[in-house]
Amino acid sequence: MLDRTDPAPFTAPFVSSLMKVEPQWIDYNGHLNMAYYNVLFDRAVDEVYELIGLGPDYLKQHGHSTVVAEMHVRYLREVHEADLLRVTVQLLDYDTKRIQLFEQLLHATENWVSATSESMTLHVDMATKKVAPFPDNVMSKLELMKIAHAELPRPEAAGRSVKMPGKN
């Protein structure tokens, strides 16, 4: 999945492989349909999960996986067919059963931010459909990622909620 020869798994922030806006993702307004922003964010998270040991093989071997419990996406600037993109992923926090990430979708050649996403992911035993603790090897890799990301400033948009302007 990673298109790099030496992926540095715990760079700050993690930077995804190069991705391209596919023609079938364009909506009738002529830009990327909002659903496909989530596809791009998800592909980047899949790359991170492979590096911390939570990829497809983990599900096959352990019967556990991750599910998104909450996500907040902000759409800031349109992207169009054939645009080249990358996603940065910052680990904001984690505990024994959850991972909180902040992502930015970047235009790969012009380096502007198209969208951001903040998510809370749960580690789930797929047989019982209940939240379960991460194994020690995953916890160790999350700790390494947290150390690498500790120097990054907390994104201004992290922790935002949807509300009408001027109202509580």
Side-chain angles (χ1 to χ4, degrees):
M1 179 174 293
L2 294 172
D3 69 359
R4 295 168 283 185
T5 55
D6 66 338
F10 303 114
T11 57
F14 172 86
V15 179
S16 76
S17 297
L18 191 63
M19 296 180 269
K20 187 176 183 180
V21 176
E22 299 180 19
Q24 66 272 21
W25 296 354
I26 301 302
D27 65 18
Y28 56 81
N29 293 316
H31 58 241
L32 183 63
N33 179 278
M34 63 183 243
Y36 294 101
Y37 284 83
N38 287 323
V39 169
L40 293 162
F41 287 129
D42 191 52
R43 287 181 177 176
V45 170
D46 283 347
E47 291 181 12
V48 170
Y49 283 179
E50 283 185 33
L51 296 171
I52 61 176
L54 293 173
D57 290 340
Y58 176 76
L59 171 61
K60 290 176 194 169
Q61 293 170 3
H62 302 284
H64 289 70
S65 191
T66 57
V67 297
V68 174
E70 186 173 348
M71 179 178 261
H72 182 191
V73 178
R74 295 182 322 136
Y75 305 95
L76 306 171
R77 188 168 171 183
E78 296 176 340
V79 292
H80 300 91
E81 184 177 338
D83 280 351
L84 297 176
L85 308 168
R86 289 199 188 270
V87 175
T88 62
V89 181
Q90 180 177 348
L91 176 64
L92 295 180
D93 207 353
Y94 74 96
D95 64 18
T96 60
K97 299 177 183 180
R98 295 175 291 211
I99 301 172
Q100 181 185 12
L101 298 173
F102 189 86
E103 302 162 78
Q104 293 187 91
L105 179 66
L106 303 171
H107 192 280
T109 58
E110 298 175 18
N111 207 36
W112 43 262
V113 178
S114 172
T116 66
S117 176
E118 184 176 359
S119 62
M120 182 66 68
T121 303
L122 306 176
H123 182 248
V124 175
D125 179 327
M126 298 306 283
T128 64
K129 302 296 185 191
K130 295 192 183 278
V131 178
F134 291 111
D136 290 341
N137 64 321
V138 171
M139 290 294 290
S140 297
K141 290 179 181 174
L142 284 167
E143 182 60 22
L144 290 173
M145 190 173 183
K146 181 179 181 179
I147 291 166
H149 290 203
E151 299 286 325
L152 294 172
R154 184 168 177 85
E156 179 185 322
R160 291 182 56 160
S161 62
V162 178
K163 62 183 176 183
M164 294 296 287
K167 296 184 178 183
N168 292 331

Short mmCIF file of all heavy atoms in Angstrom, two decimals, residues 11 13 41 45-46 50-51 53 69 72 82 105 116 122 124 126 134 137-138 141-142 145 157:
data_model
loop_
_atom_site.label_atom_id
_atom_site.label_comp_id
_atom_site.label_asym_id
_atom_site.label_seq_id
_atom_site.Cartn_x
_atom_site.Cartn_y
_atom_site.Cartn_z
N THR A 11 7.24 9.37 11.51
CA THR A 11 7.56 10.76 11.19
C THR A 11 6.48 11.64 11.82
O THR A 11 5.42 11.17 12.19
CB THR A 11 7.59 10.98 9.66
OG1 THR A 11 6.33 10.59 9.12
CG2 THR A 11 8.71 10.18 9.02
N PRO A 13 4.32 14.97 11.09
CA PRO A 13 3.30 13.94 11.12
C PRO A 13 3.61 12.84 10.11
O PRO A 13 4.48 12.99 9.26
CB PRO A 13 2.03 14.69 10.72
CG PRO A 13 2.53 15.74 9.76
CD PRO A 13 3.89 16.15 10.31
N PHE A 41 -9.08 9.89 3.48
CA PHE A 41 -8.63 9.86 4.87
C PHE A 41 -8.46 8.41 5.35
O PHE A 41 -7.49 8.07 6.02
CB PHE A 41 -9.62 10.59 5.79
CG PHE A 41 -9.59 12.09 5.66
CD1 PHE A 41 -10.77 12.80 5.46
CD2 PHE A 41 -8.40 12.80 5.74
CE1 PHE A 41 -10.76 14.19 5.36
CE2 PHE A 41 -8.37 14.18 5.64
CZ PHE A 41 -9.56 14.88 5.44
N VAL A 45 -5.16 6.36 6.90
CA VAL A 45 -5.18 5.68 8.20
C VAL A 45 -4.82 4.22 8.04
O VAL A 45 -4.11 3.64 8.87
CB VAL A 45 -6.54 5.88 8.90
CG1 VAL A 45 -6.65 4.98 10.13
CG2 VAL A 45 -6.72 7.33 9.31
N ASP A 46 -5.26 3.60 6.95
CA ASP A 46 -4.88 2.21 6.69
C ASP A 46 -3.36 2.06 6.62
O ASP A 46 -2.79 1.08 7.11
CB ASP A 46 -5.50 1.69 5.40
CG ASP A 46 -6.97 1.33 5.54
OD1 ASP A 46 -7.47 1.25 6.69
OD2 ASP A 46 -7.62 1.13 4.50
N GLU A 50 -1.14 -0.24 9.20
CA GLU A 50 -0.18 -1.28 8.80
C GLU A 50 1.12 -1.12 9.58
O GLU A 50 1.72 -2.11 10.02
CB GLU A 50 0.09 -1.19 7.30
CG GLU A 50 -1.02 -1.78 6.45
CD GLU A 50 -0.67 -1.79 4.98
OE1 GLU A 50 0.53 -1.95 4.65
OE2 GLU A 50 -1.58 -1.63 4.17
N LEU A 51 1.55 0.11 9.76
CA LEU A 51 2.82 0.36 10.45
C LEU A 51 2.76 0.08 11.95
O LEU A 51 3.78 -0.26 12.55
CB LEU A 51 3.26 1.81 10.21
CG LEU A 51 3.57 2.15 8.75
CD1 LEU A 51 3.78 3.64 8.58
CD2 LEU A 51 4.76 1.36 8.26
N GLY A 53 0.74 -2.24 13.21
CA GLY A 53 0.35 -3.63 13.39
C GLY A 53 -1.14 -3.91 13.40
O GLY A 53 -1.57 -4.95 13.87
N ALA A 69 -15.75 5.44 15.71
CA ALA A 69 -16.90 5.74 16.55
C ALA A 69 -17.41 7.16 16.31
O ALA A 69 -18.60 7.44 16.47
CB ALA A 69 -16.55 5.57 18.03
N HIS A 72 -15.18 14.02 12.57
CA HIS A 72 -15.57 15.39 12.22
C HIS A 72 -14.70 15.83 11.05
O HIS A 72 -13.48 15.93 11.17
CB HIS A 72 -15.35 16.32 13.41
CG HIS A 72 -15.78 17.73 13.14
ND1 HIS A 72 -15.49 18.76 13.97
CD2 HIS A 72 -16.47 18.28 12.12
CE1 HIS A 72 -15.97 19.89 13.48
NE2 HIS A 72 -16.57 19.61 12.35
N ALA A 82 -8.25 14.19 -11.06
CA ALA A 82 -6.83 14.01 -11.35
C ALA A 82 -5.90 14.79 -10.43
O ALA A 82 -4.68 14.68 -10.55
CB ALA A 82 -6.51 14.32 -12.81
N LEU A 105 -5.93 16.73 4.51
CA LEU A 105 -5.84 16.36 3.10
C LEU A 105 -5.15 17.52 2.38
O LEU A 105 -5.67 18.65 2.38
CB LEU A 105 -7.23 16.12 2.51
CG LEU A 105 -7.29 15.74 1.03
CD1 LEU A 105 -6.64 14.38 0.80
CD2 LEU A 105 -8.72 15.75 0.54
N THR A 116 -9.88 18.70 6.61
CA THR A 116 -9.32 18.07 7.81
C THR A 116 -10.33 17.07 8.35
O THR A 116 -11.54 17.17 8.09
CB THR A 116 -8.99 19.09 8.92
OG1 THR A 116 -10.20 19.67 9.41
CG2 THR A 116 -8.04 20.18 8.42
N LEU A 122 -12.16 2.85 17.74
CA LEU A 122 -12.22 1.86 18.81
C LEU A 122 -11.59 0.55 18.33
O LEU A 122 -11.76 0.17 17.17
CB LEU A 122 -13.66 1.59 19.22
CG LEU A 122 -14.51 2.79 19.61
CD1 LEU A 122 -15.94 2.35 19.88
CD2 LEU A 122 -13.92 3.50 20.81
N VAL A 124 -11.89 -3.34 18.45
CA VAL A 124 -13.05 -4.19 18.67
C VAL A 124 -12.73 -5.66 18.43
O VAL A 124 -12.09 -6.01 17.43
CB VAL A 124 -14.22 -3.75 17.75
CG1 VAL A 124 -15.41 -4.68 17.86
CG2 VAL A 124 -14.63 -2.32 18.06
N MET A 126 -14.04 -8.69 16.95
CA MET A 126 -15.05 -8.83 15.92
C MET A 126 -16.01 -9.99 16.19
O MET A 126 -17.13 -10.00 15.66
CB MET A 126 -14.40 -8.97 14.54
CG MET A 126 -13.57 -7.73 14.15
SD MET A 126 -14.48 -6.17 14.24
CE MET A 126 -15.43 -6.30 12.73
N PHE A 134 -5.95 -3.11 23.20
CA PHE A 134 -4.92 -3.40 22.21
C PHE A 134 -3.90 -4.36 22.81
O PHE A 134 -3.63 -4.31 24.01
CB PHE A 134 -4.16 -2.12 21.83
CG PHE A 134 -4.96 -1.11 21.05
CD1 PHE A 134 -5.31 0.10 21.62
CD2 PHE A 134 -5.33 -1.35 19.74
CE1 PHE A 134 -6.03 1.04 20.91
CE2 PHE A 134 -6.05 -0.41 19.02
CZ PHE A 134 -6.40 0.79 19.60
N ASN A 137 2.13 -5.28 21.73
CA ASN A 137 2.95 -4.83 20.61
C ASN A 137 2.36 -3.61 19.92
O ASN A 137 3.08 -2.72 19.47
CB ASN A 137 3.20 -5.97 19.61
CG ASN A 137 1.93 -6.47 18.95
OD1 ASN A 137 0.87 -6.58 19.57
ND2 ASN A 137 2.03 -6.78 17.67
N VAL A 138 1.04 -3.51 19.85
CA VAL A 138 0.39 -2.33 19.25
C VAL A 138 0.55 -1.14 20.20
O VAL A 138 0.86 -0.03 19.76
CB VAL A 138 -1.09 -2.61 18.93
CG1 VAL A 138 -1.81 -1.34 18.52
CG2 VAL A 138 -1.20 -3.66 17.82
N LYS A 141 3.95 0.39 19.76
CA LYS A 141 4.08 1.19 18.55
C LYS A 141 3.30 2.50 18.67
O LYS A 141 3.76 3.55 18.18
CB LYS A 141 3.65 0.39 17.33
CG LYS A 141 4.64 -0.71 17.03
CD LYS A 141 4.22 -1.53 15.84
CE LYS A 141 5.24 -2.65 15.60
NZ LYS A 141 4.81 -3.54 14.54
N LEU A 142 2.15 2.47 19.31
CA LEU A 142 1.41 3.73 19.55
C LEU A 142 2.23 4.67 20.42
O LEU A 142 2.25 5.88 20.19
CB LEU A 142 0.06 3.44 20.20
CG LEU A 142 -1.02 2.90 19.26
CD1 LEU A 142 -2.20 2.36 20.06
CD2 LEU A 142 -1.47 3.97 18.27
N MET A 145 4.85 6.27 18.28
CA MET A 145 4.24 7.29 17.44
C MET A 145 3.91 8.53 18.27
O MET A 145 4.13 9.66 17.82
CB MET A 145 2.99 6.74 16.76
CG MET A 145 2.42 7.63 15.69
SD MET A 145 1.08 6.77 14.82
CE MET A 145 0.68 8.01 13.60
N ALA A 157 -7.94 23.19 14.80
CA ALA A 157 -9.28 22.66 14.53
C ALA A 157 -9.61 21.42 15.35
O ALA A 157 -10.76 20.96 15.32
CB ALA A 157 -9.42 22.35 13.04
#
